Amino acid sequence: MAINGIRFTHVAFRASNLERSIRWYEGAFGAKKVFHAKQEGDRPELLFLEFAKGHFIELFTNGKSKVQQPSDAIGYQHFCVVVDDLEQALAHLAAINLHPHRGPFVGRPQYRIAFISAPDGIIIELMQV
C-alpha cells in the first residue's frame, strides 16, 4: 500500500555564499524567494526559492567545506528539472554565460537532456520530455 497524497517538494543544500546562490537561481530559473528565516540560536539561517508552484530549493547558510566525492560515490548525484523546450532553456542560460558541462543529448529514455552546475558544484539535469 502506498502513502496517500505523497509528492516531492524540495531539495536542500548548504551554500557557501547565500546571496550568490539566490542570484544564480533567480537568473537561471526565475526562482523567487518565498521564505527566509534568520539564524536563531543554534538554528541556521535558511530560505526557500520557488521554481514553480510547490517546487522549491532550500538553502542553508555557512557552507564551508566542499566534499570531494569519487565518481562512483554512493548517494546524491543530481536533481532534475523538466523544461518545455531544452534548446530555448539552453539559449536563455547561454545569454547569462551559463553553459552545460554535458549535453545536450538524447538520454536512454529518449528524452533530451543536458547538465549544468550551480554554485557550490550542485549538478542539475535539464530534461525535455
Side-chain angles (χ1 to χ4, degrees), residues 2-126:
I3 299 171
N4 292 331
I6 194 167
R7 59 197 173 279
F8 187 82
T9 65
H10 73 273
V11 293
F13 301 104
R14 188 167 302 278
S16 63
N17 181 316
L18 191 60
E19 292 306 316
R20 177 187 68 178
S21 292
I22 292 168
R23 284 190 311 272
W24 191 91
Y25 286 103
E26 285 175 341
F29 299 117
K32 302 289 183 215
K33 185 172 20 173
V34 295
F35 178 78
H36 189 178
K38 296 291 184 182
Q39 183 173 345
E40 296 175 2
D42 291 341
R43 298 178 74 173
E45 179 179 11
L46 65 89
L47 66 89
F48 280 88
L49 299 173
E50 189 172 40
F51 286 69
K53 182 134 179 79
H55 300 273
F56 307 92
I57 189 166
E58 181 179 19
L59 296 174
F60 290 88
T61 56
N62 300 323
K64 298 200 181 349
S65 301
K66 187 170 182 176
V67 176
Q68 297 299 321
Q69 293 187 325
S71 61
D72 61 351
I74 294 171
Y76 176 81
Q77 295 233 255
H78 65 267
F79 75 91
C80 178
V81 294
V82 174
V83 297
D84 291 335
D85 183 336
L86 184 61
E87 295 309 317
Q88 182 276 327
L90 294 175
H92 164 73
L93 296 171
I96 59 171
N97 201 29
L98 180 56
H99 304 280
H101 57 81
R102 282 185 58 211
F105 58 91
V106 176
R108 286 188 278 184
Q110 301 305 305
Y111 301 150
R112 293 199 24 82
I113 60 177
F115 292 85
I116 59 173
S117 291
D120 300 318
I122 311 273
I123 298 173
I124 304 169
E125 178 182 356
L126 304 172

